[in-house]
């Protein structure tokens, strides 16, 4: 009797353990799941090829419903799309979102919860992990086993392999630059069901924070985190005026503009352009650095770029050790040159 029951429940736990089920917290924009969240889906697949993925989306209106449809056919392993349909979730407020995540986790009992290391994901996951009494694993760049991950430490100078030994769920943020989204290889016939999340858990506590406003610059240029080409300026640019030269170059190349912390601190550009340890992590096809010395905190944000081009008047600048192509020159002349060459084909 008793022994058999124990054996039975042990066996049951074992068989549950064999199948990963993952909740992917997704962000959306313009009715589409953001590319960084598609990378989170790719990470969920890396956890297990048999992973059962639920995608959680929040917001309201048509944009949410279009994004839910996109999510429903975004990856063959997606088995369900959960939508939290409320204005409360239209904004990236970590407090109500953490409550939402806790509630959805308590109902779904997922083995893993994954979000991308965006500002939103970085803000949300630690709060949700605290509410669920687990330790999050942050900035995962590679998944070797269901609970074994690689993440950079010391500003990317060393890679650390960690095994998660805590309780379910294993909550992790992933670097979207390390997981390529599966290119729309989705069979047209497979569309996951879309379910509304019960929002009765929302309390006054959840609504303590409120959204004031968003100030952003309208730009035609691609988003820094996803751009194929990034043109970055450092302190060597010397002024906000001179950054306009880079903007012109970026315009010609269809590139995003980035900056070092020194350039941000000097007030040349706003801090959302900062690349590095305390800024954005980018890995474009082409990264061009003008007047950037190549401090380790800057390299931490761009060293995974496919091709790195550096222009600096100091031949000993450390950026040249990371660069595939280096030009020891005055950057003002060099960027003018690049524009001219590009125009000439
Ligand atoms: P500098 O180091 O001053 O380099 C300017 C370069 O421009 C020089 O190499 C110079 O030779 C060259 N130059 C000057 N004039 C010209 C010209 N006319 N033509 C060509 N070249 C010229 N930094 C980041 O970028 N991102 C981060 O996220 C970040 N996080 C940090 C976190 C911590 C905890 C700390 C301590 C620091 C962090 N930093 C970060 C700062 C970092 O250490 C460096 O101070 C910063 O990256 C330097 O920026 P820079 O290369 O623009 O400036």
């Amino acid at each position: 009797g008793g022994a058999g029951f124990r054996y039975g429940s042990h066996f049951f736990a074992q068989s549950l353990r064999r199948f990963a089920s993952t909740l992917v917290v997704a962000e959306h924009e313009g009715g589409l799941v953001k590319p960084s969240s598609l990378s989170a889906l790719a990470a969920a697949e890396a956890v297990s090829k048999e992973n059962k993925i639920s995608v959680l989306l929040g917001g309201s209106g048509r944009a949410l419903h279009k994004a839910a449809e996109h999510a429903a056919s975004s990856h063959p392993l997606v088995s369900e799309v959960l939508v939290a349909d409320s204005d409360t979730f239209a904004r990236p407020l970590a407090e109500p979102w953490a409550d939402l995540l806790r509630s959805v986790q308590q109902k779904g009992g997922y083995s893993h919860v994954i979000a991308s290391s965006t500002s939103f994901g970085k803000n949300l996951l630690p709060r949700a992990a605290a509410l669920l009494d687990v330790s999050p694993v942050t900035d995962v760049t590679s998944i070797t086993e269901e609970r074994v991950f690689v993440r950079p430490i010391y500003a990317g100078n060393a890679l650390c392999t960690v095994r998660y030994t805590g309780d379910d769920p294993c909550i992790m943020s992933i670097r979207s630059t390390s997981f390529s989204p599966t290119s729309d290889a989705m069979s047209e016939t497979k569309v996951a069901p879309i379910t509304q999340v019960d929002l009765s858990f929302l309390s006054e506590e959840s609504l303590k924070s409120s959204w004031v406003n968003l100030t952003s610059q309208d730009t035609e240029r691609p988003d820094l985190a996803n751009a194929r080409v990034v043109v970055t300026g450092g302190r060597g640019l010397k002024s906000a005026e001179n950054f306009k030269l880079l903007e012109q170059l970026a315009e010609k190349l269809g590139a995003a503009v980035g900056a070092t912390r020194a350039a941000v601190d000097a007030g040349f550009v706003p801090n959302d352009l900062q690349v590095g340890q305390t800024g954005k992590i980018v890995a474009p096809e082409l990264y061009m650095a003008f007047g950037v010395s190549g401090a380790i905190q800057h390299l931490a944000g761009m060293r995974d770029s496919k091709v790195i081009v550096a222009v600096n008047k100091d031949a000993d600048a450390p950026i040249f050790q990371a660069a595939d192509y280096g030009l020891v020159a005055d950057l003002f002349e060099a960027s003018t040159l690049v524009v001219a060459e590009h125009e000439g084909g």
Side-chain angles (χ1 to χ4, degrees):
F5 174 72
R6 273 202 298 276
Y7 173 78
S9 57
H10 175 70
F11 178 77
F12 185 57
Q14 285 282 308
S15 57
L16 272 184
R17 174 61 82 226
R18 232 182 317 135
F19 298 102
S21 63
T22 297
L23 179 67
V24 169
V25 186
E27 294 170 68
H28 60 96
E29 189 173 57
L32 291 173
V33 176
K34 284 192 184 176
S36 56
S37 298
L38 296 176
S39 293
L41 289 172
E45 182 180 358
V47 164
S48 165
K49 294 261 173 253
E50 274 129 53
N51 208 340
K52 202 162 159 259
I53 303 175
S54 300
V55 181
L56 175 62
L57 285 167
S60 59
R62 237 180 89 72
L64 174 68
H65 296 289
K66 284 190 69 185
E69 281 167 21
H70 181 211
S73 62
S74 57
H75 193 286
L77 294 179
V78 172
S79 67
E80 176 184 37
V81 177
L82 301 169
V83 293
D85 191 344
S86 159
D87 285 340
T88 305
F89 302 110
R91 302 297 189 187
L93 287 173
E95 291 80 4
W97 266 95
D99 284 346
L100 169 64
L101 200 50
R102 168 171 58 181
S103 170
V104 169
Q105 170 62 26
Q106 283 169 346
K107 288 210 180 81
Y110 304 97
S111 64
H112 296 68
V113 173
I114 304 180
S116 182
S117 297
T118 55
S119 313
F120 174 64
K122 285 186 198 172
N123 196 5
L124 168 64
L125 291 191
R127 287 168 201 269
L131 292 176
L132 291 162
D133 202 18
V134 294
S135 270
V137 183
T138 56
D139 275 327
V140 168
T141 55
S142 159
I143 298 169
T144 41
E145 283 174 39
E146 267 184 33
R147 281 165 189 250
V148 181
F149 314 111
V150 178
R151 56 188 298 275
I153 56 170
Y154 301 124
N157 284 308
L159 296 175
C160 177
T161 302
V162 294
R163 180 184 296 276
Y164 179 76
T165 56
D167 292 329
D168 281 355
C170 169
I171 295 190
M172 56 196 217
S173 65
I174 59 103
R175 285 218 179 150
S176 55
T177 48
S178 302
F179 297 92
S180 326
T182 348
S183 57
D184 286 338
M186 181 79 197
S187 67
E188 280 153 42
T189 46
K190 192 167 177 278
V191 178
I194 299 171
T195 314
Q196 300 274 339
V197 177
D198 169 15
L199 300 180
S200 57
F201 66 88
L202 273 176
S203 65
E204 251 171 64
E205 241 345 71
S206 325
L207 305 173
K208 269 204 301 205
S209 63
S210 62
W211 183 265
V212 181
N213 72 329
L214 169 73
T215 315
S216 74
Q217 272 154 341
D218 260 340
T219 167
E220 299 280 290
R221 286 195 298 269
D223 180 38
L224 180 56
N226 304 312
R228 291 169 59 84
V229 180
V230 174
V231 178
T232 286
R235 205 197 314 256
L237 267 138
K238 296 193 173 71
S239 70
E241 259 315 293
N242 289 336
F243 246 89
K244 301 248 152 53
L245 290 172
L246 275 201
E247 283 165 18
Q248 285 167 19
L249 175 59
E251 216 77 63
K252 302 272 181 203
L253 298 174
V257 174
T260 64
R261 182 157 124 182
V264 170
D265 287 350
F268 301 165
V269 285
N271 69 357
D272 58 331
L273 297 192
Q274 185 176 319
V275 172
Q277 187 185 335
T278 41
K280 301 227 162 74
I281 311 284
V282 302
E285 301 288 325
L286 174 62
Y287 189 88
M288 302 176 87
F290 293 92
V292 172
S293 61
I296 55 165
Q297 295 90 354
H298 185 75
L299 297 180
M302 45 63 78
R303 55 157 42 108
D304 290 335
S305 304
K306 305 274 178 319
V307 175
I308 298 171
V309 176
V311 182
N312 194 310
K313 66 179 183 189
D314 174 9
D316 295 327
I319 189 74
F320 287 128
Q321 281 158 37
D324 299 285
Y325 299 94
L327 181 60
V328 180
D330 187 286
L331 66 92
F332 301 107
E333 288 163 26
S335 56
T336 320
L337 251 177
V338 176
V339 174
E341 253 176 47
H342 189 75
E343 277 175 336

